[in-house]
Amino acid sequence: MNNSPRQGEKSELAVASELMMMGHGVSFPFGHDHQYDLIVDKDGTLYRIQVKTAKQEEGNRYYIQAAADHYDKKYVDLLAGYSGGERAIFFIPVLEASGNRQRVTFTDLDQMGSEENRRRANHISKYRFHEAIDRV
């Protein structure tokens, strides 16, 4: 993915576009003094989303650089990662974030070997918008 100065804006628009295609309303806050980039209206409930450009770590695993303690849970509900290309957007509830990097794997569950690997993996099936928002 291109690291141009506008990449963050491209990621924000990609996430907003996907949410709108799902039928949700999306708003952008005015100004840059917010911890969130988007507000999504899902069935009359508003959620604040901080968008990050995701990077490939290894194989089918992607991460966003987002220190868990940097975002106040009173002001941000979800972290969203957008990697571009063929990979989908993922959403991580801020309450589940830990450390400096938030990771999601796109590897098929049946290719992960042991049940322990499947249990520990942050599999994309738990980090699509509707699955993640249910845990906020």
Side-chain angles (χ1 to χ4, degrees):
M1 175 158 284
N2 183 354
N3 279 335
S4 73
R6 312 239 31 187
Q7 188 54 55
E9 293 166 349
K10 292 176 189 175
S11 295
E12 290 172 20
L13 288 173
V15 171
S17 178
E18 177 151 314
L19 291 167
M20 290 174 64
M21 287 190 293
M22 291 178 195
H24 304 300
V26 176
S27 301
F28 291 89
F30 183 76
H32 299 285
D33 293 334
H34 307 284
Q35 288 191 16
Y36 52 89
D37 298 311
L38 305 174
I39 302 166
V40 63
D41 181 339
K42 180 186 180 295
D43 302 326
T45 302
L46 303 179
Y47 299 95
R48 293 146 311 172
I49 302 174
Q50 170 60 231
V51 178
K52 296 290 186 183
T53 301
K55 296 176 179 71
Q56 188 170 9
E57 189 168 53
E58 59 184 54
N60 289 324
R61 191 162 69 177
Y62 289 77
Y63 72 92
I64 54 174
Q65 194 70 35
D69 60 357
H70 181 75
Y71 298 99
D72 190 329
K73 292 151 187 63
K74 293 185 297 188
Y75 302 111
V76 180
D77 301 301
L78 293 164
L79 301 171
Y82 170 71
S83 65
E86 75 285 351
R87 293 295 176 198
I89 295 165
F90 55 89
F91 298 86
I92 300 172
V94 169
L95 293 172
E96 295 178 12
S98 64
N100 291 324
R101 286 187 176 180
Q102 312 309 315
R103 295 172 172 89
V104 172
T105 184
F106 289 80
T107 301
D108 290 336
L109 287 170
D110 59 349
Q111 295 178 349
M112 289 188 176
S114 71
E115 181 61 35
E116 176 66 14
N117 286 348
R118 288 187 287 277
R119 187 185 62 74
R120 289 187 331 181
N122 292 334
H123 192 263
I124 186 60
S125 61
K126 296 187 321 189
Y127 296 95
R128 303 273 187 219
F129 180 71
H130 290 106
E131 287 74 19
I133 205 71
D134 287 343
R135 298 193 309 275
V136 170

